[in-house]
């Protein structure tokens, strides 16, 4: 099975409005509730692709109960197994407001509940147990209050000690410390990579991030696709044309594809093609953690992959 970790889970609310106008009242035309947080989105996509997936992290309060009920009700593909650790504080909410006129999305994210030392200890014990049956693990998203900034580095070391390949998808100081623990793969976006390396030139920054400890680095370039620095070489993959829609969760779908390629043993160009196609197909879906299957199958053979001239 594939294990995903979401320390800052969320109940995702998506509101659709005809047009989002500042300082105005709005009539919402559609409301969608989904279990959220980056690792849960990754797990739901993996399940839809047919992979056995387990989620862990934290859930608490009424919003946590709703999140778990929605997760249990997920019907697409393989069911996702819930190994979330109960906490006293309420799970946060995130709100995505989709402007139907422009296709743009405005995101509002609550910070998350404070995690007590005993709750963190309970989680690390559960995580260590789950590693025994995992083929790969993804550590995803922000850290809730109360968890030390080196938490992901600690979890990377536990995964490496268990011999389980680990992907890290976070930002800021947790990324800086986590990458030094030598994860198998990190997947920052261009802004997160610039904060980590101090360079805004993607090719230089991606290779610099790899030198900091990651076995491989895949950088999200937004509508321009993905850039990967790996032991086998440097590749860039892009969709045939930019797609418009809700970008929430697009990066999580890319992570799902990269994890699937890792456990299936596919080559890097194939992994990147699936990651870009799945990410674009997610933009065309109304909510995170889901993708347009027809668009995915249509886009996949049209993904352009090349080795940048700067690879030398």
């Amino acid at each position: 099975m594939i294990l995903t970790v979401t320390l800052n889970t969320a109940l995702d609310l998506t509101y659709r409005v005809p047009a989002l106008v500042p300082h105005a009242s709005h009539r919402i035309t559609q409301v969608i509730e989904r279990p959220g947080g980056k690792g849960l989105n990754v797990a739901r996509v993996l399940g839809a692709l047919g992979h056995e997936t387990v989620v862990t992290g934290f859930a608490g309060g009424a919003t946590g109960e709703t999140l778990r009920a929605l997760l249990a009700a997920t019907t697409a593909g393989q069911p996702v197994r819930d190994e979330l650790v109960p906490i006293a504080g309420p799970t946060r909410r995130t709100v995505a407001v989709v402007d139907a006129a422009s296709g743009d999305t405005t995101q509002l994210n609550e910070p998350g509940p404070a995690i007590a030392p005993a709750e963190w200890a309970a989680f690390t014990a559960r995580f260590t147990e789950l590693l025994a049956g995992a083929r790969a693990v993804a550590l995803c998203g922000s850290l809730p209050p109360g968890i030390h900034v080196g938490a992901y580095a600690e979890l990377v070391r536990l995964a490496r000690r268990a011999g389980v390949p680990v992907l890290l998808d976070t930002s800021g100081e947790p990324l800086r410390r986590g990458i030094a623990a030598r994860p198998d793969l990190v997947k920052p976006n261009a802004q997160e990579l610039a904060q980590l390396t101090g360079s805004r030139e993607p090719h230089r920054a991606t290779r610099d991030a790899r030198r900091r400890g990651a076995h491989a680095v895949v950088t999200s370039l937004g509508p321009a696709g993905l850039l990967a620095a790996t032991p086998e070489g440097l590749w860039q993959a892009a969709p045939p044309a930019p797609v418009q829609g809700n970008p929430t969760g697009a990066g999580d779908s890319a992570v799902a594809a990269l994890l699937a390629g890792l456990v299936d043993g596919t080559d890097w160009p194939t992994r990147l093609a699936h990651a870009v196609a799945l990410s674009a197909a997610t933009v065309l879906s109304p909510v995170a953690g889901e993708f347009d299957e027809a668009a995915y199958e249509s886009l996949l053979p049209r993904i352009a992959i090349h080795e940048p001239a700067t690879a030398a």
Side-chain angles (χ1 to χ4, degrees), residues 64-150:
E65 291 178 5
T66 301
L67 179 151
R68 299 183 87 156
L70 290 169
L71 188 62
T74 301
T75 57
Q78 287 273 0
V80 175
R81 192 172 113 212
D82 176 357
E83 290 286 348
L84 296 167
V85 174
I87 55 172
T91 295
R92 67 186 178 129
R93 294 162 298 182
T94 68
V95 178
V97 183
V98 180
D99 183 326
S102 67
D104 292 337
T105 300
T106 299
Q107 191 79 18
L108 305 172
N109 297 330
E110 295 180 358
I115 305 300
E119 293 169 337
W120 174 248
F123 166 77
T124 55
R126 179 77 56 86
F127 177 72
T128 302
E129 292 171 356
L130 291 169
L131 284 173
R135 298 178 64 194
V137 59
L139 310 175
C140 303
S142 60
L143 298 178
I147 294 184
H148 64 96
V149 74

Side-chain angles (χ1 to χ4, degrees), residues 182-186 206-207 210-211 213-218 228-235 262 268 271 307 311:
R182 307 187 68 80
D184 294 86
L185 175 62
V186 296
T206 299
R207 287 178 292 184
R210 185 166 176 257
R211 286 193 291 268
H215 189 67
V217 178
V218 175
T230 79
E232 289 77 30
L234 188 70
W235 286 278
L262 175 64
W268 274 105
R271 295 184 205 184
E307 297 183 53

Side-chain angles (χ1 to χ4, degrees), residues 156-173:
V156 169
R157 287 191 289 268
L158 287 172
R160 287 178 56 82
R161 194 176 304 154
V164 179
V166 56
L167 182 154
L168 176 62
D169 182 14
T170 188
S171 60
E173 191 61 22

